[in-house]
Amino acid sequence: MLMIILDGSIVTVAMPAMQQDLDFTPAGLSWVVNAYLIAFGSLLLLAGRLGDLIGRKRMFVTGIGVFTLASVLAGAATSPATLIAARFLQGVGGAMSSAVSLGILVTLFTEPRERARAIAVFSFTGAAGASLGQVVGGVLTDALNWHWIFFINLPIGLAALLLALRALPADRGLGLRAGADVTGALLVTAGLMAGIYSVVKVEQYGWASGHTLGFGALAAVLLAGFVVRQTKARTPLLPLRMFRSRAVTGANVVQMLMVAALFSFQVLVALYLQNVLGYGAAETGLAMLPAAAVIGAVSLGVSARLNARFGERAVLLAGLVLLIGVLGLLARVPVRANYWVDLLPVMLLAAGFGLALPALTSLAMSGARADDAGLASGLFNTTQQIGGALGVAVLSTLAASRTESALASGHSRPEALTSGYHLAFTIGTALLTAAFLLAATILRPTRPTP
């Protein structure tokens, strides 16, 4: 998981170097990210269910192998087409391994306290990967070249593969006959692919364009067809009984809102540091390192104990309050900010993520049975990707629009950029507030573990 999330953030830092070296057009360069997102986001649900059917260990190990091989191909790419194809293959491998990761954890760690600690470690690796990517991407690109941001996955992937083969117990799975809904698989994969594609291209085409509306309508029709299919299929790919659990449904919706809002923290803060304050790539990563440190300290050090003592719902609400404070403060950050006064407190409040994500993960997996843990894991990862894609499309588009208006009004570029970021942070605050209200009203209080 560290490798997959590290790869997601490390690429953004090196994209200018890729464009110059491989002669990417501006539109073509976006596919270095989009090809990965479309493959990854659209295959998570299918990969999670297949893990339940053919064995989660088999799916996990195969996914690591595919991702590692695709990383080597991406590092060796000498043309835009090769790099984009390798990134798509990386998305396939990432979906295969990510989709079953939580399913493996909840079936191996059945005692509540052990499961809480395992989920806390899992959540920490995500935060660590996102933060390390900013630093490592800048260092590798400056010291060597962009090819090494992919080659670094080779030793990590081989280590993960060897550890997985030795540490994970074999599981046969239910067999394909227990849930081989081919029609449902085609509908949901095509629907998610069309939906994610329409969202990631919004910045280029606009919300009201025929391109966005057409692919959005196609996605809606395909996903509606998938839901109808699941009510009639003898062996449904996604049994709708899973959504009867208020914890599972509520946690997935809350996560979608939270991830969409926190895109503005993960990406726009980095852009603010570089474009407004003039930080370099490595300096930006170091500036955001305190956030990763406090998230790690909270998720590893206290989240499991707090979940056991007060229940996941209470801990989730506390984490959301801290995150509302993060984006609320950023909505007022000045053009000439002092890092120690204006930004360091924001980084420290990011500890709320270390509270919220483990609690959300536990709630989302609470309704999973042993035979569909991979599916619940794939569903949770899918809503995370959809939330991220929506956050990118909505917040970045609105920020860019506000910036253009400010420039047209005669403001300086730093002032115009800051104005755009302020709007995105304000909308992110509203999304987190909605997530808090939803969690408070839909999620039932959880009993502390004896």
Side-chain angles (χ1 to χ4, degrees), residues 63-127:
I64 293 175
V66 171
F67 188 90
T68 305
L69 175 62
S71 297
V72 175
L73 293 176
T78 56
S79 68
T82 304
L83 180 57
I84 291 170
R87 288 287 289 162
F88 187 89
L89 191 60
Q90 273 190 313
V92 174
M96 293 171 71
S97 53
S98 297
V100 295
S101 297
L102 284 170
I104 291 172
L105 286 184
V106 299
T107 51
L108 288 182
F109 299 96
T110 55
E111 194 275 318
R113 286 182 181 272
E114 285 189 343
R115 177 181 291 185
R117 283 197 294 270
I119 288 175
V121 172
F122 184 84
S123 302
F124 165 71
T125 59

